[in-house]
Amino acid sequence: MFKCKTVWNKLAPLVRASSTLCLQNARKSGNFCRPAMMMIFRFAKFCVIVVYLFVCLKAYHTVSGDKERYNERMIDIANRPKQGPQAAETVKPAAEEPTLTEPPVEEPPVTEAVVEFTETEPVVEEPIVEASIPKPIVETLVTELVVEASVPESIIEISVTEPVAEAPVVTQSEEPLAPVVESETEPTPVIIAAHVPEASPVSESAAVSEPAPAAEPVESTAAHSGVPEHAHYLLIGGGTASFAAARSIRARDPGARVLIVTEESELPYMRPPLSKELWFSDDPKATETLHFKQWNGKERSIYFQPPSFYVSPADLAKVENGGVAVLTGRKVVHMDVRGNKVKLSDGAEISYEKCLIATGGVPRNLQVIDRAGEEVTKRTTLFRKIEDLRSLETISREVKSITIIGGGFLGSELACALGRRSTDLGLEVIQMFPEKGNMGKVLPEYLSNWTTEKVRKEGVNIIMDAVVKNVSYKNDKLEIKLKDGRLIKTDHIVAAVGLEPSVELAKSAGLEVDSDFGGYRVNAELQARANIWVAGDAACFYDIKLGRRRVEHHDHAVVSGRLAGENMTGASKPYWHQSMFWSDLGPDVGYEAIGIVDSSLPTVGVFAKATAKDTPKAATEQSGTGIRSESETEAVAGTLKAEIMAHPPPIQQEEDYGKGVIFYLRDNVVVGIVLWNVFNRMPIARKIIKDGEQHADLNEVAKLFNIHED
């Protein structure tokens, strides 16, 4: 560039002078033609520019060639073998500063290099003198780095390691150049930038590194037997929602590798039979085998699939067509959403591509029981898992009195189950709750009272308006003192007062928890993050018809898990399903519900006389499954029509509520429906809520459910 500028500075004045001279001569001679002279001037200028560009191009090629030759020279110096002792004595350094060497880049990489230490004096190579910068170049070699030194006008910038005096040299060459000294640690060089000042004739910067101290061994995931290091689909929780998601993922992606991590020691199973059919089984070993007879007499297992359905977690990555693996007895205690990995309770880590949180919930306990001490808490059952079923079944055979606190679904089901056994076992069964009747928060008062009498007939002592004030253990008995002064003595307590969603991972994962309903807040596609979904009891979702909700029932776990699995494979479907739930008070009375069923809302009930087929037992005989939500088909909702009889029997509003439909209203719109001993009609109820219309006469709407059929 300097040459080009010099040429231009010399040529430009000549062009201007010659142009001026020609112009003056033309004026004197009288043959002045301005356009012609302008053309001559422009042509001369063009010639000068062409010459200028040619000189610049030539200078560029010259500089580029110099740089390439310079880099080749530096590489040649780096690869030059060490000189003998005489050459080493030619230069006496101020301090022994060894040099870190590295084999050429062309050699294949070594996966496990042997660390060798060689003590030798540094060798300063003869300087390389460039025409543009007349000063010596200092050889500086960097570990795992080929030096390409750029030559600016005044500063040479070379990458070197931090100099440390009297440090051993690390070599990775095949043949040692000096006696070998073994070392247990490998140096960790710190790369810095060293500038060579223009005034310094020689700069000695030895590329060395201080050996790092022996690092503590890090326990890898491979050390944890049977724990895979990576899972494309990771499902946290081993309940219904996780299994439904796994089945949905495999349906859309047949080669998918799905890993379920569950804190329980059991494979995925259904929870409803724990408080229903298993208690009514004639097989004394039913709680051990977990096989039971449904109301229709058919036998099935509580597990969704046998062990042969699953693959081993250790073999999940090796299976040709993928599969579903279950890692039992492990709890996810930390979640790194940025690194896409989780940490287990045993310290193992698993990375993932997509993750589902389906941790469900834990049974809620009364604070007065938590504060009562160990003697009370160890005589209290929080019913949720298989082990709770087995424990309570054993306790029912050993004690004389059991008190169930809670009048909801679970409390009423367990009260009926234990009450039916009370006569044979000589067991006193007590159920207490703060409401005025069983299912008082769900059913209208008249139906709640009827249900309470039904539970009493099963052999249960009902205590209503019972608010527990204190619990203590005295004289081998638990004493429950109520707020109104009543005192109940019992041997064992079953607390069935609700469920607390498991949101322990929210803090480490940075996920939002809903302050009103609890659970992880998710969008319409059940997403909490771009690659994280939530399903089941732990999901707080937005219902397009009923607003934000959180549902704790089996059908919701099935549907939300299935949808989450579809969306994890790219479906991008919104959650619009109105989940249902059901409860059976034995084989003769049962109901199904959908939407918001709250006894504080206005209700309209339409009832009819029941027949022998209007029982849970008859419903399972017709559907072939005790888990009635699994037999539903969405297509029925749009095709079923009311079969209106010519002369329907009169609606009976008597004490014997055989079967009927209860509508829950908000602003004169149906937001919830309970089908009392009416089965296989849930698609109709779902469609009514989905339409969201006001109905002038709900008696006509009730005819859609064919409750007047014989």
Side-chain angles (χ1 to χ4, degrees):
M1 297 300 294
F2 294 113
K3 296 179 181 179
C4 297
K5 187 174 182 180
T6 302
V7 172
W8 173 258
N9 292 335
K10 291 181 179 180
L11 292 179
L14 294 177
V15 173
R16 286 194 293 268
S18 60
S19 300
T20 304
L21 182 61
C22 292
L23 183 61
Q24 292 175 354
N25 293 335
R27 288 177 177 175
K28 291 179 180 180
S29 61
N31 296 325
F32 175 69
C33 181
R34 186 176 184 85
M37 294 305 300
M38 292 300 296
M39 291 296 295
I40 295 173
F41 176 80
R42 289 175 181 173
F43 177 77
K45 188 175 182 180
F46 172 77
C47 294
V48 172
I49 293 174
V50 170
V51 174
Y52 173 78
L53 293 177
F54 175 79
V55 174
C56 289
L57 183 61
K58 182 66 176 178
Y60 173 79
H61 285 294
T62 302
V63 173
S64 299
D66 292 341
K67 183 177 180 181
E68 292 177 359
R69 288 190 296 274
Y70 174 81
N71 291 334
E72 291 175 358
R73 177 60 176 165
M74 294 298 295
I75 294 174
D76 180 65
I77 293 173
N79 297 333
R80 181 180 300 174
K82 295 289 184 178
Q83 302 294 331
Q86 296 178 356
E89 294 177 358
T90 57
V91 179
K92 293 183 179 180
E96 292 185 7
E97 294 181 346
T99 305
L100 199 63
T101 62
E102 175 71 13
V105 185
E106 288 77 14
E107 294 184 7
V110 182
T111 55
E112 296 183 359
V114 178
V115 180
E116 299 175 353
F117 291 97
T118 305
E119 295 184 16
T120 181
E121 295 182 354
V123 178
V124 180
E125 302 294 341
E126 58 186 62
I128 303 172
V129 180
E130 292 291 340
S132 58
I133 301 180
K135 61 183 179 183
I137 305 298
V138 181
E139 175 192 354
T140 306
L141 303 180
V142 183
T143 303
E144 298 180 0
L145 180 65
V146 178
V147 179
E148 292 185 10
S150 60
V151 187
E153 293 182 10
S154 60
I155 297 177
I156 302 176
E157 184 171 327
I158 308 174
S159 297
V160 298
T161 56
E162 185 177 4
V164 180
E166 297 185 3
V169 176
V170 180
T171 64
Q172 293 183 350
S173 57
E174 295 182 359
E175 297 182 1
L177 303 178
V180 177
V181 180
E182 295 184 357
S183 175
E184 297 180 355
T185 59
E186 188 171 320
T188 306
V190 180
I191 307 301
I192 62 173
H195 298 282
V196 181
E198 185 178 1
S200 300
V202 178
S203 176
E204 295 181 0
S205 298
V208 297
S209 61
E210 184 178 0
E216 297 182 359
V218 180
E219 188 176 11
S220 64
T221 306
H224 298 270
S225 175
V227 180
E229 296 183 355
H230 179 78
H232 189 85
Y233 297 98
L234 177 64
L235 313 183
I236 304 176
T240 301
S242 276
F243 181 79
R247 186 165 53 185
S248 179
I249 291 171
R250 291 280 296 169
R252 290 175 54 87
D253 184 2
R257 305 178 192 277
V258 183
L259 177 63
I260 298 176
V261 181
T262 173
E263 186 179 359
E264 296 189 50
S265 59
E266 306 287 345
L267 295 174
Y269 62 90
M270 59 188 79
R271 299 189 189 275
L274 297 181
S275 60
K276 296 180 176 70
E277 293 93 338
L278 280 170
W279 288 98
F280 295 90
S281 175
D282 297 330
D283 184 4
K285 297 182 179 180
T287 56
E288 297 298 327
T289 63
L290 299 176
H291 283 75
F292 62 95
K293 286 185 177 180
Q294 301 173 124
W295 305 136
N296 59 4
K298 296 181 180 180
E299 186 172 317
R300 69 173 296 175
S301 171
I302 195 174
Y303 296 100
F304 289 111
Q305 292 290 347
S308 59
F309 172 82
Y310 305 96
V311 300
S312 170
D315 299 333
L316 182 61
K318 308 173 186 177
V319 180
E320 181 178 358
N321 296 321
V324 180
V326 182
L327 193 61
T328 59
R330 311 292 177 92
K331 182 179 180 180
V332 176
V333 297
H334 187 272
M335 191 170 185
D336 181 4
V337 296
R338 291 178 178 268
N340 289 339
K341 61 183 179 180
V342 298
K343 184 177 181 180
L344 306 185
S345 53
D346 60 356
E349 290 187 352
I350 303 175
S351 60
Y352 61 86
E353 300 295 330
K354 298 179 181 180
C355 179
L356 171 69
I357 301 176
T359 49
V362 294
R364 189 181 293 119
N365 198 2
L366 295 176
Q367 293 184 0
V368 293
I369 295 179
D370 285 333
R371 297 194 301 259
E374 182 181 358
E375 293 297 331
V376 174
T377 55
K378 73 180 183 180
R379 291 172 173 82
T380 301
T381 296
L382 302 178
F383 198 88
R384 177 69 173 172
K385 305 175 181 178
I386 291 178
E387 59 192 55
D388 300 327
L389 165 71
R390 291 170 173 167
S391 175
L392 185 58
E393 198 275 337
T394 301
I395 291 172
S396 67
R397 299 179 182 275
E398 297 175 350
V399 301
K400 297 297 182 182
S401 174
I402 294 179
T403 298
I404 301 169
I405 301 177
F409 303 104
L410 180 61
S412 298
E413 290 173 359
L414 290 177
C416 287
L418 291 172
R420 182 160 291 197
R421 292 186 172 193
S422 61
T423 303
D424 297 336
L425 298 176
L427 177 68
E428 180 187 20
V429 180
I430 303 171
Q431 184 186 14
M432 61 174 61
F433 41 79
E435 296 81 26
K436 297 185 180 298
N438 283 80
M439 311 298 297
K441 292 183 178 180
V442 176
L443 301 176
E445 184 177 356
Y446 62 89
L447 200 55
S448 174
N449 294 337
W450 186 91
T451 304
T452 303
E453 294 302 318
K454 177 69 173 62
V455 176
R456 276 200 178 104
K457 291 179 181 179
E458 295 290 344
V460 180
N461 180 16
I462 303 293
I463 301 177
M464 299 177 290
D465 298 318
V467 179
V468 179
K469 181 180 180 181
N470 184 37
V471 181
S472 60
Y473 180 72
K474 296 180 181 178
N475 301 324
D476 296 332
K477 286 285 186 180
L478 293 173
E479 294 186 355
I480 305 173
K481 186 176 182 180
L482 303 183
K483 195 172 183 179
D484 57 7
R486 288 179 288 178
L487 183 66
I488 295 91
K489 295 183 179 182
T490 187
D491 295 322
H492 195 81
I493 293 175
V494 178
V497 292
L499 193 72
E500 196 71 29
S502 297
V503 292
E504 298 174 353
L505 296 175
K507 185 175 181 180
S508 62
L511 303 179
E512 183 181 3
V513 176
D514 189 86
S515 58
D516 296 327
F517 300 97
Y520 301 96
R521 285 180 70 98
V522 295
N523 62 13
E525 297 175 2
L526 302 182
Q527 276 183 303
R529 288 288 187 274
N531 64 337
I532 300 177
W533 288 258
V534 187
D537 299 342
C540 182
F541 62 98
Y542 183 77
D543 191 313
I544 58 177
K545 288 294 182 182
L546 306 177
R548 188 159 289 278
R549 303 174 62 198
R550 190 177 66 83
V551 182
E552 299 174 356
H553 297 291
H554 177 84
D555 181 65
H556 170 68
V558 172
V559 177
S560 63
R562 183 169 61 217
L563 178 65
E566 292 178 356
N567 289 340
M568 291 174 75
T569 55
S572 300
K573 294 181 180 179
Y575 186 76
W576 59 267
H577 178 80
Q578 284 293 333
S579 61
M580 57 89 67
F581 60 92
W582 80 97
S583 180
D584 295 335
L585 303 179
D588 300 326
V589 177
Y591 59 91
E592 299 175 353
I594 188 173
I596 300 178
V597 286
D598 188 342
S599 60
S600 63
L601 295 174
T603 60
V604 175
V606 181
F607 292 88
K609 185 178 181 179
T611 63
K613 65 180 181 179
D614 299 318
T615 63
K617 180 178 180 180
T620 55
E621 288 176 351
Q622 182 178 354
S623 65
T625 175
I627 309 301
R628 295 194 288 272
S629 64
E630 294 182 355
S631 64
E632 290 189 67
T633 55
E634 295 298 329
V636 181
T639 58
L640 284 178
K641 297 181 180 180
E643 297 179 7
I644 302 177
M645 301 177 62
H647 301 284
I651 299 173
Q652 299 184 8
Q653 300 288 352
E654 301 175 358
E655 290 298 324
D656 185 13
Y657 300 101
K659 64 178 179 180
V661 182
I662 301 97
F663 300 97
Y664 292 75
L665 307 177
R666 187 169 64 187
D667 299 329
N668 295 324
V669 176
V670 177
V671 295
I673 297 176
V674 169
L675 303 180
W676 187 261
N677 273 343
V678 176
F679 306 100
N680 301 320
R681 294 290 186 271
M682 190 51 64
I684 302 174
R686 181 174 288 111
K687 188 176 187 304
I688 293 173
I689 295 178
K690 182 179 179 181
D691 292 342
E693 299 177 356
Q694 294 186 359
H695 300 277
D697 188 359
L698 290 175
N699 287 282
E700 293 297 322
V701 179
K703 295 177 182 178
L704 295 171
F705 297 92
N706 302 325
I707 64 174
H708 302 298
E709 285 184 342
D710 294 334

